């Protein structure tokens, strides 16, 4: 065994010898080590990450991809705040069983406006990438209030408090402006009317509701998501977000998915 | 402790505390409508405690001792105790969240006690609280010994240690209030991230200045690893946390990256947090305390060079194996897989180097639980790096990803390798550090060892079973070609493993609590003894800082 290793390593021995000698000198200089470490550790990250910003094929082109409405973005921020990503992924892989269980596999363009992405790393609960419109608003609200009322075996925490918390909408213009700064194409008008739009999307009978469809498209869902028309709650925002998951573009359905074996 | 600081240094420390308190006041004022305001109060309280601890001792006489004649160990002592406190807190949170997955109603009727908010308290508590403090404290010890030189400054190490703990406190308290960026292991928001950059630059300056004062021509291996830990973590932290705050009056910020680029950046960070936080620095610990305790020189100097540069160069490429079969371009996935497999060579070179070092000292491993902690840590390091390379292979990852197998793998590394090497090092270090004859109770060290080992094995086996079972259930088809199991079916199958996992974690927590108690009792009740030759000397004099090769 040791002989085999020796024979295999022989061609490299000159290199090792050289490396060890150079190192013996270099390790007397802390700055030589510092620079060496930064260079050695810099190469991989640069080669793998930088091209993702420059190669056009990385993200599919889709002119119809829409941005999140202020209410949906507020819901997304609540999803992040509560740490939902710790148990739910939003990334359907190109595997047959996943496509059959959850729907067409996820495309890069679908999370193009997700700052940050919420692809997740663990499925203690199911994937949510195509959750939108899979269940009614009422189901979502009741499930969030107490998951075990609807799914007795569930281990998900209860989020009943979302129903009692009025949604904070004053900061929404600032949030949309920050998102525009990092690349989401919100217009000045969208930013200026963000607070009113958030309230309007959850109150179809008010005048503010018209502005939402005007700015974000006729297909935008304008409803009282939490079933209470009297006020806009955090539940409204979260359910609005859950109902848009996978529905920002219909590109995945157009590209007929061919799953890998 | 304060008597070792000059009056000028005490005043300096008070001014730094006052400045930190002032920034806390600004945060509290600007963010009064937001969780940032609460953080401002926490920062102010922390700074006030620091300020008054020093102010209370301001009148003490100037120190009379000759500084060049001894090492500066006070920050190391405090750092070790803080690390153990974080260990108990972080592991308790781990047991709690693990129990919530088995019994979901084991929580309070309050938003802060949900799994989603507590899980990062556990991960940050053990990685950054326990691991980070153990790394900082041991690095202070090792950099002075292997350089045969005292630190250049007495305020800077306190700034690094306390500043770092302020970051940890802001992070953990933020999660329960819902302040998070959602980036795993990089959850703290923009102001905490900025503060950590300041602390980290100070840490680097302290390290490099101590090395510059060394009385030894060569820089010892352990220091290479600590240097890599400090440098690369700085780069990772800064790039992955680039974000635009929604307002300077609140905590919320949005990542500079989106979608696929963000995913790659996040896992470039995430995997190298494993590499440079949870591996590199702890290898530094291993390369110092293992040969020291075994009283044997490192088996091969060349192997340590090879494995060091292999780890630094290969690890960085491996992050994309977290994104197999996703929307990440195929070429990046393939690169990540290839380098992950190659990574096995330098990883096993390190593990092998450690175990070969023990040749001729195996009887000590049998008799001495402290050395056994280090030996078993090296074994787990070898096992989990093998498992990691295996799981990075695309089809294997297709089964393991999103399941508990990943969780089991992480804990084989975190409990079996990181925590065991830390505990072994702490037991080796504590008597030297506090100038004590021995540990208070060797029996307690034995108990800790066996509880930790049993806990790790139970945990890892439970997660292997649950992960592989669930992964297979997800892809099982009936004869008519439809999926056999609903998601809930697979969740129900997890219950017994989740119970077993919580039990394994509980054993590990009890072990850590015993360790904490043992260290405190050592400080309080064991008679004093000053070890020989534990002071700065020139390299020609006396014996080497670590056992030399024959």
């Amino acid at each position: 065994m040791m002989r085999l290793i020796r024979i295999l390593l022989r061609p490299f021995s000159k290199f090792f010898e050289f490396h060890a000698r150079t190192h013996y000198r270099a390790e007397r200089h802390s700055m030589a080590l510092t620079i060496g470490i930064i260079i050695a550790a810099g190469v991989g990250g640069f080669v793998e990450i930088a091209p993702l910003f420059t190669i056009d094929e990385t993200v599919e082109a889709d002119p119809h991809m829409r941005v999140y409405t202020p209410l949906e973005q507020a819901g997304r921020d609540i999803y992040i705040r509560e740490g939902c990503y710790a148990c739910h992924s939003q990334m359907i892989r190109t595997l047959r069983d996943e496509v059959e269980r959850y729907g067409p596999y996820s495309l890069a363009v679908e999370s193009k406006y997700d700052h940050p992405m919420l692809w997740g790393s663990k499925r203690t609960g199911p994937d949510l990438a195509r959750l939108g419109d899979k269940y009614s608003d009422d189901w979502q609200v009741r499930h969030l209030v107490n998951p075990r009322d609807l799914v007795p075996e569930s281990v998900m925490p209860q989020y009943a408090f979302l129903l009692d918390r009025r949604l904070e909408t004053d900061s929404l213009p600032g949030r949309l402006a920050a998102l525009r700064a990092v690349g989401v194409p919100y217009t000045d008008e969208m930013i200026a009317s963000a607070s009113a739009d958030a309230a309007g999307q959850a109150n179809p009978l008010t005048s503010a509701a018209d502005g939402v469809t005007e700015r974000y498209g006729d297909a935008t869902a304008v409803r009282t998501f939490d079933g209470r028309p009297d006020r806009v709650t955090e539940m409204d925002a979260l359910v609005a977000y859950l109902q848009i998951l996978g529905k920002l573009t219909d590109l995945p359905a157009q590209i007929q998915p061919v799953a890998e074996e | 402790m304060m008597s070792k600081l000059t009056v000028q240094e005490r005043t300096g420390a008070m001014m730094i505390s006052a400045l930190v308190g002032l920034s806390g006041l600004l945060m509290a004022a600007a963010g009064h409508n937001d969780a940032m305001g609460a953080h401002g109060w926490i920062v102010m309280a922390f700074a006030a405690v620091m300020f008054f601890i020093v102010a209370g001792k301001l009148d003490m006489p100037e120190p009379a001792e000759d500084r060049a004649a001894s090492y500066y160990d006070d920050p190391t002592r405090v750092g070790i105790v803080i690390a153990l406190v974080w260990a108990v807190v972080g592991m308790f949170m781990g047991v709690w969240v693990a129990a919530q997955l088995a019994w979901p109603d084991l929580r309070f009727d309050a938003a802060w006690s949900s799994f989603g908010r507590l899980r990062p308290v556990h991960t940050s508590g053990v990685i950054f609280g326990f691991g980070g403090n153990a790394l900082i404290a041991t690095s202070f010890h090792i950099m002075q010994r292997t350089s045969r030189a005292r630190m250049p400054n007495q305020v800077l190490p306190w700034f690094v240690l306390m500043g770092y703990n302020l970051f940890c406190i802001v992070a953990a308290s933020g999660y329960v209030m819902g302040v998070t960026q959602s980036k795993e292991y990089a959850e703290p928001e923009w102001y905490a991230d900025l503060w950590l950059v300041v602390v980290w630059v100070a840490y680097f300056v302290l390290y490099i200045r101590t090395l510059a004062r060394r009385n030894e021509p060569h820089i010892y291996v352990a220091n290479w690893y600590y240097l890599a830990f400090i440098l690369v973590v700085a780069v990772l932290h800064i790039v992955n946390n680039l974000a635009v705050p929604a307002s300077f009056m609140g905590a919320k910020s949005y990542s500079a990256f989106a979608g696929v680029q963000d995913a790659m950046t996040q896992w470039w960070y995430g995997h190298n947090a494993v590499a440079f936080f949870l591996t590199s620095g702890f290898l530094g610990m291993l390369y110092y305390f293992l040969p020291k305790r075994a009283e044997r020189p490192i088996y091969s100097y060349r192997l340590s060079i090879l494995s060091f540069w292999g780890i630094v160069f290969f690890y960085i490429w491996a992050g994309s194996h977290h994104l197999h079969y996703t929307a990440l371009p195929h070429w990046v996935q393939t690169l990540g897989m290839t380098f992950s497999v190659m990574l096995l060579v330098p990883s096993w070179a390190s593990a092998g180097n450690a175990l070969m070092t023990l040749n001729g000292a195996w009887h000590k491993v049998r008799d001495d639980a402290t050395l056994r902690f280090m030996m078993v840590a090296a074994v787990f390091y070898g096992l989990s790096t093998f498992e990691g390379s295996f799981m990075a292979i695309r089809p294997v990852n297709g089964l393991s990803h999103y399941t508990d197998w990943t969780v089991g793998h992480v804990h084989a590394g975190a409990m079996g390798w990181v925590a065991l090497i830390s505990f072994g090092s702490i037991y080796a270090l504590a008597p030297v550090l506090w100038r004590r004859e021995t540990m208070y109770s060797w029996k307690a060290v034995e108990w800790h060892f066996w509880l930790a080992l049993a806990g790790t094995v139970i945990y890892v086996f439970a997660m292997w079973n649950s992960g592989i079972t669930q992964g297979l259930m997800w892809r099982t088809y009936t004869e008519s070609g439809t999926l056999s199991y609903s998601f809930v079916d697979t969740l129900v199958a997890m219950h017994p493993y989740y119970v077993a996992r919580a039990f394994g974690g509980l054993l590990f927590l009890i072990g850590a609590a015993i360790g904490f108690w043992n260290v405190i009792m050592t400080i309080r009740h064991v008679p004093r003894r000053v070890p020989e030759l534990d002071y700065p000397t020139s390299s020609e004099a006396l014996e080497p800082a670590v056992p030399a090769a024959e």
Side-chain angles (χ1 to χ4, degrees):
Chain A
M1 184 66 194
M2 286 311 277
R3 252 191 81 202
L4 183 73
I5 292 175
R6 272 201 198 109
I7 292 167
L8 281 172
L9 287 180
R10 193 168 297 150
F12 301 104
S13 65
K14 280 261 159 54
F15 171 74
F16 289 152
E17 192 69 23
F18 172 74
H19 188 209
R21 266 194 222 161
T22 323
H23 200 276
Y24 189 75
R25 283 198 296 273
E27 70 183 38
R28 297 176 187 215
H29 307 284
S30 55
M31 277 302 154
L33 278 174
T34 303
I35 293 164
I37 289 166
I38 290 186
I39 292 173
V43 180
F46 187 77
V47 171
E48 287 188 346
I49 298 175
L52 296 180
F53 291 93
T54 57
I55 300 176
D56 290 340
E57 292 91 81
T58 304
V59 181
E60 303 83 1
D62 181 12
H64 301 297
M65 172 75 188
R66 92 155 164 79
V67 296
Y68 294 108
T69 66
L71 187 67
E72 291 154 8
Q73 182 61 45
R76 192 170 197 273
D77 292 345
I78 292 168
Y79 184 98
I80 289 174
R81 184 187 76 193
E82 299 304 329
C84 305
Y85 58 87
C87 294
H88 294 284
S89 58
Q90 290 185 23
M91 173 47 63
I92 301 166
R93 296 178 295 172
T94 54
L95 296 166
R96 181 182 153 199
D97 61 292
E98 297 213 354
V99 171
E100 287 183 17
R101 189 180 298 278
Y102 300 115
Y105 60 78
S106 300
L107 301 179
V109 67
E110 292 181 83
S111 46
K112 185 179 168 185
Y113 299 138
D114 286 6
H115 294 267
M117 57 85 208
L118 293 171
W119 292 9
S121 60
K122 174 72 175 70
R123 284 181 187 150
T124 303
D127 187 275
L128 302 182
R130 309 239 172 273
L131 183 69
D133 283 354
K134 199 170 174 186
Y135 301 95
S136 67
D137 292 345
D138 182 52
W139 188 94
Q140 291 290 4
V141 172
R142 291 208 291 166
H143 184 253
L144 282 163
V145 167
N146 185 12
R148 278 168 288 291
D149 285 349
L150 298 179
V151 186
E153 305 88 346
S154 171
V155 296
M156 187 171 126
Q158 302 89 334
Y159 292 96
F161 65 89
L162 296 175
L163 265 181
D164 304 322
R165 281 204 201 169
R166 197 179 283 274
L167 183 69
E168 188 273 302
T169 54
D170 295 342
S171 64
L172 277 169
R175 295 196 211 181
L176 263 55
L179 282 164
R180 182 164 72 177
V182 291
V184 184
Y186 285 114
T187 61
D188 289 340
E189 195 194 343
M190 286 170 166
I191 291 172
S193 48
S195 305
D197 284 353
Q201 196 183 351
N203 280 306
L205 298 175
T206 59
S207 55
D210 302 333
V212 179
T213 44
E214 208 174 282
R215 278 180 279 277
Y216 296 91
D218 291 332
T220 313
V222 180
R223 325 190 270 261
T224 46
F225 294 94
D226 67 353
R228 292 184 186 179
D230 53 322
R231 57 182 186 158
V232 185
T233 63
E234 294 195 339
M235 187 66 90
D236 277 313
L238 184 58
V239 173
Y241 172 64
L242 296 179
Q243 296 290 29
I244 196 67
L245 285 174
K247 307 199 81 66
L248 293 171
T249 163
D250 53 3
L251 199 62
Q254 286 172 25
I255 302 173
Q256 191 58 248
V258 185
E260 286 179 27
E261 279 304 303
Chain B
M1 259 186 287
M2 291 307 146
S3 61
K4 283 195 191 159
L5 297 177
T6 62
V7 174
Q8 196 189 354
E9 284 167 337
R10 287 173 219 165
T11 329
M14 283 166 67
M15 278 169 69
I16 294 173
S17 305
L19 276 177
V20 172
L22 205 62
S23 353
L25 185 66
L26 276 177
M27 282 169 67
H32 62 95
N33 283 327
D34 189 89
M36 189 173 94
H39 270 152
W41 287 101
I42 290 173
V43 172
M44 268 192 283
F46 189 91
V49 170
M50 291 299 128
F51 185 89
F52 286 112
I53 287 178
V54 185
K57 300 285 168 65
L58 190 60
D59 300 336
M60 288 179 87
E62 292 269 354
E65 55 151 8
D66 173 15
R67 286 193 174 180
S70 67
Y71 298 120
Y72 188 46
D73 285 338
D74 287 343
T76 316
R77 293 185 187 127
V78 174
I80 292 291
V81 173
I82 295 177
L84 287 166
V85 172
W86 275 109
V88 175
V89 173
M91 289 171 195
F92 169 76
M93 292 316 252
V95 175
W96 187 13
V97 293
Q100 281 192 10
L101 290 183
W103 303 285
D105 290 320
L106 206 67
R107 54 171 295 205
F108 301 101
D109 185 20
W112 65 267
S113 65
S114 71
F115 181 92
R117 289 203 192 181
L118 292 183
R119 185 233 182 208
V121 182
H122 163 60
T123 52
S124 290
V126 292
I127 298 172
F128 299 118
F130 171 48
N133 276 298
L135 285 172
I136 291 175
T138 54
S139 76
F140 286 171
H141 180 85
I142 293 171
M143 70 184 184
Q144 296 186 92
R145 265 60 179 191
T146 55
S147 299
R148 301 170 184 280
R150 187 183 170 103
M151 297 185 193
N153 184 301
Q154 297 204 126
V155 179
L156 208 51
W158 288 114
F159 176 75
V160 172
L161 183 70
M162 290 304 157
Y164 180 77
N165 277 287
L166 178 59
F167 165 80
C168 291
I169 290 169
V170 167
S173 59
Y175 306 147
V176 293
M177 293 190 288
V179 177
T180 171
Q181 292 193 98
S182 87
K183 294 195 154 204
E184 282 184 81
Y185 322 115
E187 291 95 345
E189 274 292 357
W190 57 278
Y191 47 84
D193 290 337
L194 287 175
W195 172 245
L196 187 63
V197 172
V198 175
V199 171
W200 218 248
V201 169
Y203 189 18
F204 176 69
V205 168
L206 176 64
Y207 211 96
I208 215 80
R209 281 187 63 198
T210 308
L211 289 184
R213 291 159 63 99
R214 72 188 182 279
N215 285 313
E216 182 85 41
H218 289 269
I219 298 172
Y220 182 62
V221 197
N223 294 308
W224 314 345
Y225 279 105
Y226 279 113
L227 257 185
F229 151 63
I230 297 169
L231 287 167
V232 185
V233 165
V235 175
L236 296 167
H237 173 76
I238 291 170
V239 175
N240 190 43
N241 284 306
L242 288 174
V244 175
S247 140
F248 290 106
M249 322 272 273
K252 185 70 190 164
S253 73
Y254 293 101
S255 169
F257 312 110
V260 63
Q261 292 92 359
D262 186 43
M264 185 58 228
T265 309
Q266 159 60 22
W267 289 110
W268 163 79
Y269 168 90
H271 198 73
N272 290 299
V274 174
F276 290 92
F277 208 101
L278 293 177
T279 302
S280 178
F282 291 92
L283 280 171
M285 253 185 232
L286 180 83
Y287 269 108
Y288 179 80
F289 287 109
L290 184 109
K292 196 87 174 154
R293 188 77 181 181
E295 296 175 298
R296 302 276 311 156
I298 282 289
Y299 168 69
S300 164
Y301 165 69
R302 289 185 185 193
L303 211 52
S304 59
I305 296 176
L306 188 77
S307 58
F308 174 74
W309 291 104
I311 284 173
V312 171
F313 181 71
F314 287 169
Y315 244 117
I316 286 284
W317 298 76
S320 52
H321 70 223
H322 288 253
L323 301 167
H324 280 319
Y325 299 103
T326 67
L328 181 76
H330 215 255
W331 65 269
V332 196
Q333 299 180 19
T334 308
L335 267 181
M337 171 169 75
T338 313
F339 276 88
S340 304
V341 173
M342 291 198 293
L343 195 52
L344 187 61
V345 175
S347 301
W348 274 26
S350 286
N353 209 1
L355 293 175
M356 293 295 268
T357 300
L358 291 171
N359 269 353
W362 286 101
H363 62 286
K364 292 182 188 163
V365 176
R366 182 193 60 204
D367 297 336
D368 177 9
T370 304
L371 192 57
R372 216 180 307 129
F373 263 109
M374 300 183 204
M375 187 277 285
V376 174
V379 171
F380 267 102
Y381 176 61
L383 289 175
S384 52
T385 48
F386 173 76
E387 190 187 26
S389 294
F390 181 62
M391 289 167 76
I393 300 169
R394 196 184 278 118
V396 180
N397 196 268
L399 177 75
S400 75
H401 195 53
Y402 294 136
T403 74
D404 286 315
W405 190 356
T406 310
V407 181
H409 167 61
V410 172
H411 283 81
M415 296 157 94
W417 153 237
V418 171
L420 292 194
I421 189 68
S422 302
F423 287 131
S425 302
I426 288 171
Y427 287 133
L429 178 58
V432 179
L433 201 54
W434 276 281
R435 308 300 195 210
R436 295 290 181 267
E437 284 176 352
T438 170
M439 285 302 293
Y440 177 73
S441 164
W442 289 112
K443 259 192 185 156
V445 181
E446 283 286 347
W447 270 96
H448 183 184
F449 174 79
W450 289 108
L451 281 168
L453 185 60
T456 307
V457 170
I458 292 171
Y459 191 110
V460 172
F461 269 88
M463 291 295 94
W464 276 339
N465 277 296
S466 69
I468 294 170
T469 305
Q470 195 171 38
L472 290 174
M473 283 176 88
W474 284 342
R475 56 167 68 172
T476 302
Y477 282 86
T478 60
E479 280 182 16
S480 55
T482 57
L483 292 167
S484 294
Y485 301 103
S486 70
F487 191 91
V488 167
D489 291 339
T490 70
L491 179 66
V492 171
M494 298 300 102
H495 183 74
Y497 305 118
Y498 284 177
V499 175
R501 182 253 298 267
F503 177 67
L506 181 66
L507 294 186
F508 203 86
L509 168 66
I510 295 171
I514 291 175
F516 180 49
W517 168 82
N518 202 1
V519 168
I520 297 299
M521 295 305 270
T522 304
I523 300 168
R524 294 182 59 178
H525 295 298
V526 176
R528 194 177 157 77
R529 192 188 73 193
V530 179
E532 285 170 36
L533 301 175
D534 195 34
Y535 47 84
T537 51
S538 73
S539 60
E540 291 81 22
L542 310 166
E543 63 178 36
V546 278
E550 278 129 25

